[in-house]
Amino acid sequence: MNQEHFDTIKNKDGFIAALDQSGGSTPKALNDYGVSEDQYSNDDEMFDLVHKMRTRIITSPSFTPDKIIGAILFEHTMNNRIEGQYAGDYLSDKGIVPFIKIDQGLADEEHGVQLMKPIPGLNNLLQQAKEQNMFGTKMRSNILSYNEKGIDDVVTQQFQVAQEIIDAGLVPIVEPEVNIHSEDKEQIEEYLNQSIKNHLDALATDDYVMLKLTIPTKANIYQELADHSQVLRVVALSGGYERDEANEMLSQNDNVIASFSRALTQDLSVNQSDADFDAKLKEAVDSIYEASVVKN
């Protein structure tokens, strides 16, 4: 494990940029950026375009390590170069800790949740991630409604895979997302909090995870998780909230920092000049940083 990266994630003020849209979400991400589906004809062209988008973000003078402490990449980005360097090396040299998204999407809903699909070739992917100087991984599940069996199934699966990641020498970001439109959102979060804690308590003292959680309805409900000895950091996903609302909700939670995706990039466009692009990105970075470090 890279101790410098460990210390950065654990102790430094800032937030984590989620730049990990994958096959299913890439068309929407490109469309939001102003690149319509008629501008590419296959997956290779699509991924080349999204790599250009991510490269523009990462190389922007507004994408700085004084406010952004980490970035989550899609596998395609990890294996591509930015200004001649592999993405992980470029970010590390810039002072930003690189992570890799490893899940392969979601299974069909059952018991009110969507588990992760199987991850074929996980061991090979983790070895590749280490070779590409990734510090950690991220994997997402989805909780849609209150069902204790479903929630426990999600958390159990997340921690089973997390242990494989830990054993490979990486730090997993465990992400059991709670759908922001769920009528049971607050009740789900109360039960999820305890379910996660039970699994954290079972970790060895030298095993660490990060938690990526939907911004909770009840502020500071995850305080005990953030304080847990085996938790390196708790980060929040925007989950579909617009940036202003996400920032306002996040600012009410102590010891939780952002790991926003759409809320970070929502005002960016392929048609902007570099000056306008950098200015819009700076506005987003500054506001998300303030919400991450300044608490009410």
Side-chain angles (χ1 to χ4, degrees):
M1 183 187 300
N2 185 311
Q3 188 62 45
E4 182 179 358
H5 286 172
F6 184 97
D7 293 341
T8 294
I9 295 299
K10 184 170 180 60
N11 300 316
K12 189 176 177 183
D13 284 341
F15 69 94
I16 294 176
L19 305 175
D20 59 331
Q21 298 93 347
S22 55
S25 55
T26 296
K28 184 178 187 309
L30 281 173
N31 188 67
D32 291 344
Y33 183 55
V35 178
S36 59
E37 292 191 38
D38 61 5
Q39 293 178 254
Y40 51 90
S41 57
N42 55 51
D43 283 354
D44 287 342
E45 292 180 4
M46 177 182 74
F47 287 129
D48 284 345
L49 287 167
V50 82
H51 184 65
K52 289 179 181 178
M53 179 186 78
R54 290 169 178 149
T55 296
R56 193 181 189 193
I57 293 169
I58 290 170
T59 58
S60 169
S62 300
F63 199 84
T64 56
D66 59 322
K67 294 182 178 175
I68 301 167
I69 62 173
I72 306 170
L73 307 176
F74 175 46
E75 183 179 354
H76 182 274
T77 309
M78 177 183 77
N79 291 322
N80 272 274
R81 295 178 183 270
I82 297 174
E83 295 188 346
Q85 291 182 283
Y86 281 113
D89 293 332
Y90 183 90
L91 286 166
S92 293
D93 286 352
K94 197 169 183 173
I96 296 171
V97 179
F99 295 81
I100 174 69
K101 166 187 155 63
I102 63 163
D103 69 81
Q104 299 296 312
L106 299 171
D108 292 338
E109 180 182 350
E110 188 174 358
H111 303 298
V113 304
Q114 290 177 281
L115 296 174
M116 294 182 289
K117 291 180 179 178
I119 309 174
L122 177 59
N123 289 338
N124 290 336
L125 178 57
L126 296 178
Q127 182 59 40
Q128 184 181 13
K130 287 195 69 177
E131 292 170 357
Q132 296 284 21
N133 294 320
M134 297 294 113
F135 173 71
T137 66
K138 191 213 81 163
M139 50 192 176
R140 171 178 172 265
S141 309
N142 191 25
I143 302 172
L144 298 161
S145 60
Y146 183 81
N147 182 298
E148 293 182 4
K149 173 176 171 44
I151 297 169
D152 285 336
D153 286 347
V154 160
V155 177
T156 296
Q157 183 193 41
Q158 282 275 346
F159 275 85
Q160 285 174 342
V161 180
Q163 191 61 57
E164 295 184 57
I165 295 160
I166 291 168
D167 292 343
L170 298 163
V171 174
I173 300 177
V174 169
E175 184 184 8
E177 178 176 350
V178 177
N179 189 288
I180 65 169
H181 302 296
S182 173
E183 295 178 357
D184 311 316
K185 183 172 180 287
E186 186 170 356
Q187 186 181 14
I188 292 168
E189 289 164 348
E190 289 175 357
Y191 189 83
L192 177 64
N193 180 60
Q194 186 58 52
S195 186
I196 292 173
K197 184 179 182 303
N198 292 341
H199 284 268
L200 291 174
D201 290 344
L203 289 175
T205 55
D206 56 350
D207 289 348
Y208 296 94
V209 302
M210 295 171 62
L211 302 174
K212 182 166 180 173
L213 305 171
T214 304
I215 306 171
T217 299
K218 181 180 178 181
N220 286 320
I221 191 173
Y222 297 132
Q223 183 66 54
E224 189 174 14
L225 303 182
D227 291 339
H228 198 284
S229 59
Q230 306 317 121
V231 174
L232 189 56
R233 206 76 186 249
V234 175
V235 303
L237 59 113
S238 50
Y241 292 119
E242 293 293 320
R243 183 167 63 239
D244 288 347
E245 185 176 8
N247 284 341
E248 174 59 29
M249 293 177 67
L250 176 64
S251 69
Q252 298 171 26
N253 289 270
D254 300 324
N255 299 318
V256 178
I257 65 173
S259 178
F260 291 171
S261 177
R262 191 178 63 81
L264 172 65
T265 62
Q266 66 184 40
D267 294 332
L268 304 181
S269 169
V270 67
N271 298 313
Q272 289 165 335
S273 68
D274 287 344
D276 288 344
F277 180 93
D278 295 336
K280 287 296 184 181
L281 182 59
K282 185 177 188 303
E283 287 178 15
V285 168
D286 288 350
S287 70
I288 296 169
Y289 174 83
E290 290 299 321
S292 293
V293 299
V294 178
K295 304 305 182 185
N296 295 332

